[in-house]
Amino acid sequence: MQHAFAPSASHPQPQQRQFNPYSENGGTILAIAGANFSVIAGDTRQSEGYSIQTRYAPKVFRLTDKAVLATNGFAADGNMFVKKVRQRLEWYRHAHAKDMSLRAIARLIQTMLYARRFFPYYVYNILGGIEEDGSGAVYSFDPVGSYEREACRAAGAAQSLVQPFLDNQIYFKNQTPAPGTSHPAHLPLNHVLSLVIDSFTSATERHIEVGDGLEMYVVLAKGTPLQGLDAIQGITEMTATDDGERMFIIRRNLKRD
Amino acid sequence: MDHFPLNWGRPRNDAVDSYSTYPITQRPNHAPKDAFSAGIQHTQQPIVTGTSVLAIKFKDGIMMAADNLASYGSLARFRDIQRLHAVGEHTVLGAGGDMSDFQYIQSILDELMIDEFAAGDGHALGPAEVHNYLSELMYARRSKMNPLWNAMLVGGFKDGQRFLAYVDMLGTTYSASTLATGYGAHIAQPLLRRAVEGREDTLDEEEARKIIEQSMKVLFYRDARSLDKYQIATITAAGVHISDSLQIETSWSFAEGLRGYGAQTQ
Amino acid sequence: MTSIGTGYDLSASTYSPDGRIFQVEYANKAVENSGTAIGLKVKDGVVLAVEKLVHSKLLVPGANRRIQTVDRHIGLATAGLPADGRTVASRARDEAANFRDVYRSPPTLKTVADRLGHFVQMYTLYSSVRPFGISTILGAVDKDGPALYVIEPSGVFFGYHGAAVGKGRQLAKTELEKLKLSELTAREAVIEAARIIYLVHEDAKEKEFELEMSWIGPETNNQHVAVPQDLFNEAEAKAREALVSGLE
């Protein structure tokens, strides 16, 4: 039986086409926390549908010397959100003459996201950096501000490809340790970096929205040795203050097809 | 009586009160009305539209092109419309999408540039500033669910730096050495990338012009909302130059052999 | 001052029995105490010049400009209270922008002067405000060619070939009358303007002054801009020369 209110060809319903204020710009982001460091990474492709808009649009941003924010989803919202977070951090600096702590930034981000609960920033955020106690930390958020601290998180187009890989390699899910041994709680920096690079080369192979370039931010806690970071080709130090934490960026090419 | 002179200080609105007939104490209220109760209509679709805009970087600056057509649906309504607009001495703005929205944006930018000129402080807005201003404008309007229905390219040259970036009705922005809006993003962009990527610093103006001309020709063959009359803007250290209208030379004789074209015998 | 003590000068909204508004007349006194400002409308353009009295050596050169830009093709010079000058200039810019907004074309100077005249006049009507203590010289090259207007504190405005307001206006007017304004080019007018400002400046009585000059003409693409440094230096040097030879 036809529903009484179903539109029919002879009596067409008035059509309402609504302007859609959102878009989806592809790409993937990822962050992993170590014992005394944190790595935050993202690819640099920006796309819409099947079109690559640009091969270089950063979506990982330095906030302070100990905090890095990666955004993924609707690029216009992401850029505007980062702009507003940075503005709040600047006001904090003017008021308190110091940088905001990582956990405070995390709460600030949740407040700012939830303030737009009924017209959300269509953005998945991952915040990485160093806590006040010197530990590496990763916070992940949903678009309306739910958040938690984790050891690792992937988000974006290739989240479903990367996150299971990280679960296996970082949390050792579905792995049993050799008799008499146990899985390490934290991995060393060089190991984490190769996991990140492998994650993105794999995602690039299998996901059309991932590729072109890779940007990896490394944040080291106070007094942490470089652990061979200085030997990495194409690494640039971005540390701006003498608070003790150090920040680096590593760039890599990804396949462009 | 309103005893606050600053409240009198609103410029007269000639559209409402052309002879200043209202006593200053009861001026008409031009304050924005509440969007909900006033039931204001917002743009839900573009009406008179322009199609693609193309732009590339070359050795000495930026080259941009757009045709002279403004369509009303599939009707080629206005055939002598300028879609490239100079903003000051260093910047060109090219737009596709709704042409009334674009002309409105032009007037906003013109006023902005006059304000900057009147400041007389020795600073001039460059392409980066104009692009950022536009992206904030477009994003603010989309956030009010009242977008300006355009996709635009901003190209410029200032202080020895080239600048080329995109902004659209959602406030989305990006930058690359070749850019194209609308249909051009699908048809011309791959051609532009093949011709330009990696050669941004060696292409001279003549080569750049060839690339642009070729791409505009392909677009005219393939895009049913395009016109064979277009303009090219070049922005270099010497400033902005927007050409007179140019004609695309085409040949359609090949089409005679195609089924569905021209008089069909069977 | 016959007005003092009568009670008729306390408010701009009160006439005296013989039909005068003393507050407006006092506003004119504020103008008369100010450094001279002149405007020359010539064959192909307009030149504005101001004798800006510098009341302290601590001031940064170029501070407190008294020539301001209203629109690309319109400039304005004021004599009187500098802060009032800024208010009027700001209003002038709003009116010019409003005209462009409505008519999508650059305003003629007459329109802007008309609207500014209305604005200034409003401040002569109410007891809650004081009239503007400035006279404004407006200059432009618009679609009808060069134009020059002066708005007084009463709100009245007239068009001129040459205008002078402020302290040295009498002497300046005499000098302006000697010139064949309609035959000068803007470039020549700059030289004359500098000479007149230097001439009317009373060296003995007054403190230091700074010459401020702007022009609109074919050499500026009909835009209102400051006189370029080389021409400015030339004009200033010639003005000093004329002063010295005039004394002999």
Side-chain angles (χ1 to χ4, degrees):
Chain A
M1 193 196 105
Q2 208 191 357
H3 192 270
F5 295 106
S8 64
S10 52
H11 294 284
Q13 293 282 300
Q15 267 208 2
Q16 260 290 358
R17 270 186 57 242
Q18 249 266 308
F19 161 66
N20 177 194
Y22 293 112
S23 179
E24 166 78 62
N25 299 107
T28 273
I29 51 172
L30 154 64
I32 299 171
N36 52 6
F37 67 86
S38 193
V39 177
I40 306 93
D43 69 327
T44 65
R45 175 175 293 181
Q46 189 178 112
S47 59
E48 190 173 35
Y50 290 130
S51 297
I52 295 172
Q53 293 180 319
T54 178
R55 300 190 191 280
Y56 184 70
K59 43 184 169 276
V60 189
F61 304 95
R62 196 193 86 97
L63 296 180
T64 67
D65 263 357
K66 44 184 175 274
V68 174
L69 182 61
T71 63
N72 195 262
F74 175 33
D77 268 353
N79 290 328
M80 189 55 69
F81 185 70
V82 169
K83 194 184 243 177
K84 303 248 169 198
V85 171
R86 281 182 162 158
Q87 193 172 56
R88 295 289 292 266
L89 293 179
E90 188 174 331
W91 292 345
Y92 183 96
R93 260 195 300 277
H94 292 322
H96 300 106
K98 63 176 184 183
D99 280 332
M100 197 185 280
S101 69
L102 192 70
R103 63 181 243 120
I105 297 175
R107 176 61 70 90
L108 172 70
I109 288 173
Q110 107 99 182
T111 312
M112 291 174 69
L113 288 171
Y114 193 78
R116 289 275 298 266
R117 173 60 181 79
F118 300 108
F119 187 15
Y121 287 110
Y122 188 50
V123 172
Y124 289 87
N125 284 292
I126 300 178
L127 175 70
I130 304 296
E131 294 282 21
E132 278 179 321
D133 66 4
S135 60
V138 164
Y139 290 89
S140 70
F141 300 79
D142 82 352
V144 290
S146 315
Y147 77 115
E148 62 176 336
R149 186 178 165 179
E150 299 177 287
C152 73
R153 171 60 65 185
Q159 180 186 36
S160 55
L161 280 67
V162 176
Q163 190 66 50
F165 173 68
L166 296 180
D167 289 344
N168 180 249
Q169 292 294 308
I170 307 252
Y171 292 123
F172 298 105
K173 292 282 164 66
N174 300 305
Q175 292 195 59
T176 31
T181 66
S182 64
H183 293 308
H186 292 290
L187 297 174
L189 178 57
N190 58 2
H191 191 153
V192 166
L193 284 175
S194 50
L195 284 179
V196 170
I197 293 171
D198 287 351
S199 297
F200 276 94
T201 44
S202 310
T204 302
E205 285 296 330
R206 284 291 187 172
H207 200 116
I208 58 167
E209 292 173 3
V210 181
D212 291 333
L214 171 60
E215 284 188 332
M216 292 176 285
Y217 283 74
V218 180
V219 198
L220 298 183
K222 265 176 232 181
T224 309
L226 286 180
Q227 304 163 62
L229 262 188
D230 45 341
I232 293 176
Q233 49 120 350
I235 191 167
T236 312
E237 177 151 10
M238 307 190 78
T239 315
T241 70
D242 51 10
D243 288 357
E245 288 85 2
R246 295 180 72 180
M247 181 170 296
F248 301 86
I249 181 171
I250 305 167
R251 292 198 170 85
R252 286 280 181 279
N253 288 323
L254 293 173
K255 286 172 74 174
R256 290 149 63 93
D257 54 8
Chain B
M1 167 72 203
D2 181 352
H3 287 280
F4 291 94
L6 284 178
N7 292 344
W8 316 346
R10 302 287 73 88
R12 188 166 83 213
N13 185 338
D14 278 75
V16 179
D17 179 22
S18 51
Y19 296 99
S20 199
T21 50
Y22 284 83
I24 55 171
T25 48
Q26 16 177 142
R27 281 292 170 105
N29 176 27
H30 301 305
K33 296 177 181 66
D34 178 65
F36 192 78
S37 64
I40 287 172
Q41 285 219 355
H42 294 162
T43 305
Q44 299 296 341
Q45 55 176 325
I47 307 295
V48 175
T49 59
T51 182
S52 324
V53 187
L54 310 181
I56 59 175
K57 284 185 181 172
F58 70 100
K59 183 162 62 81
D60 307 313
I62 302 295
M63 191 173 286
M64 195 183 288
D67 69 25
N68 292 115
L69 180 64
S71 306
Y72 180 74
S74 59
L75 174 71
R77 180 65 181 82
F78 303 103
R79 299 163 61 86
D80 191 21
I81 289 290
Q82 255 221 35
R83 299 200 288 123
L84 300 174
H85 177 67
V87 184
E89 316 271 289
H90 315 286
T91 311
V92 166
L93 172 66
D98 191 281
M99 286 297 103
S100 63
D101 282 352
F102 174 51
Q103 287 172 3
Y104 168 68
I105 288 167
Q106 286 177 35
S107 69
I108 288 178
L109 289 176
D110 286 348
E111 187 177 338
L112 175 72
M113 296 315 276
I114 290 171
D115 283 352
E116 290 294 318
F117 177 76
D121 53 7
H123 293 279
L125 295 189
E129 290 80 16
V130 170
H131 177 259
N132 194 244
Y133 181 94
L134 274 176
S135 68
E136 295 264 341
L137 173 70
M138 300 301 272
Y139 184 81
R141 287 291 296 262
R142 85 97 217 189
S143 297
K144 290 177 191 158
M145 293 298 274
N146 185 198
L148 294 165
W149 214 286
N150 300 100
M152 296 180 282
L153 301 185
V154 177
F157 192 97
K158 185 164 183 270
D159 304 330
Q161 295 278 159
R162 289 173 300 190
F163 182 92
L164 180 56
Y166 168 99
V167 56
D168 68 13
M169 58 186 290
L170 294 176
T172 304
T173 56
Y174 49 89
S175 186
S177 52
T178 69
L179 287 176
T181 72
Y183 224 72
H186 299 104
I187 289 185
Q189 179 73 306
L191 305 171
L192 296 175
R193 283 185 182 154
R194 189 172 59 190
V196 174
E197 273 184 8
R199 302 208 290 143
E200 296 89 346
D201 299 326
T202 51
L203 283 175
D204 63 28
E205 189 170 330
E206 202 179 325
E207 292 170 306
R209 191 175 299 274
K210 284 256 164 57
I211 294 166
I212 288 282
E213 281 172 358
Q214 181 62 25
S215 304
M216 288 303 284
K217 179 181 285 194
V218 172
L219 271 174
F220 178 61
Y221 274 121
R222 289 294 177 183
D223 178 2
R225 304 285 171 269
S226 67
L227 196 66
D228 54 354
K229 215 175 98 190
Y230 70 106
Q231 284 168 290
I232 291 179
T234 44
I235 314 98
T236 60
V240 170
H241 177 260
I242 298 178
S243 75
D244 291 337
S245 287
L246 307 166
Q247 187 71 31
I248 297 173
E249 300 304 330
T250 49
S251 154
W252 294 93
S253 53
F254 70 92
E256 297 299 336
L258 295 181
R259 207 176 239 287
Y261 181 89
Q264 290 294 302
T265 48
Q266 58 176 62
Chain C
M1 288 257 185
T2 53
S3 50
I4 295 171
T6 61
Y8 294 116
D9 65 347
L10 299 177
S11 155
S13 67
T14 304
Y15 280 107
S16 76
D18 50 351
R20 294 155 64 186
I21 296 163
F22 289 124
Q23 281 295 321
V24 172
E25 295 183 16
Y26 297 165
N28 278 301
K29 294 285 178 201
V31 179
E32 287 169 22
N33 291 331
S34 153
T36 316
I38 60 172
L40 292 79
K41 186 183 85 158
V42 293
K43 188 171 62 180
D44 58 357
V46 171
V47 173
L48 299 176
V50 162
E51 169 208 19
K52 187 169 72 192
L53 300 175
V54 179
H55 62 271
S56 163
K57 285 190 193 307
L58 298 177
L59 277 171
V60 175
N64 304 320
R65 279 184 299 185
R66 279 173 53 196
I67 297 181
Q68 299 172 79
T69 303
V70 172
D71 200 331
R72 284 189 196 286
H73 61 301
I74 303 177
L76 144 176
T78 56
L81 308 179
D84 285 15
R86 297 167 71 90
T87 301
V88 166
S90 162
R91 175 60 176 235
R93 283 192 276 267
D94 286 353
E95 292 290 358
N98 170 261
F99 185 96
R100 291 185 103 104
D101 204 25
V102 174
Y103 299 107
R104 287 286 180 267
S105 61
T108 59
L109 189 62
K110 192 177 173 184
T111 327
V112 174
D114 182 43
R115 293 188 182 192
L116 271 189
H118 269 118
F119 177 66
V120 171
Q121 192 263 348
M122 279 184 210
Y123 285 75
T124 68
L125 294 172
Y126 301 95
S127 57
S128 52
V129 293
R130 96 180 142 65
F132 288 108
I134 52 164
S135 278
T136 307
I137 304 178
L138 283 162
V141 173
D142 57 30
K143 69 178 171 60
D144 304 319
L148 188 72
Y149 287 86
V150 175
I151 305 171
E152 293 170 23
S154 62
V156 74
F157 68 97
F158 295 108
Y160 290 90
H161 289 288
V165 293
K167 215 168 261 195
R169 68 193 176 287
Q170 290 303 355
L171 183 50
K173 280 180 190 169
T174 322
E175 286 300 314
L176 287 169
E177 281 168 15
K178 290 184 201 161
L179 299 171
K180 288 181 174 155
L181 286 168
S182 58
E183 291 170 20
L184 291 181
T185 64
R187 182 170 276 271
E188 290 162 345
V190 167
I191 308 288
E192 297 298 337
R195 182 181 63 76
I196 293 173
I197 291 293
Y198 266 84
L199 182 72
V200 303
H201 176 69
E202 295 196 70
D203 230 357
K205 262 192 359 208
E206 289 298 343
K207 316 130 227 180
E208 294 282 294
F209 83 102
E210 214 176 80
L211 175 63
E212 220 178 296
M213 286 198 295
S214 70
W215 62 333
I216 315 165
E219 291 188 61
T220 72
N221 199 18
N222 285 347
Q223 301 211 330
H224 177 253
V225 292
V227 168
Q229 201 58 48
D230 54 344
L231 177 58
F232 184 93
N233 293 343
E234 181 193 337
E236 208 171 35
K238 283 189 176 160
R240 288 215 176 88
E241 241 169 69
L243 212 54
V244 173
S245 59
L247 289 175
E248 286 159 8

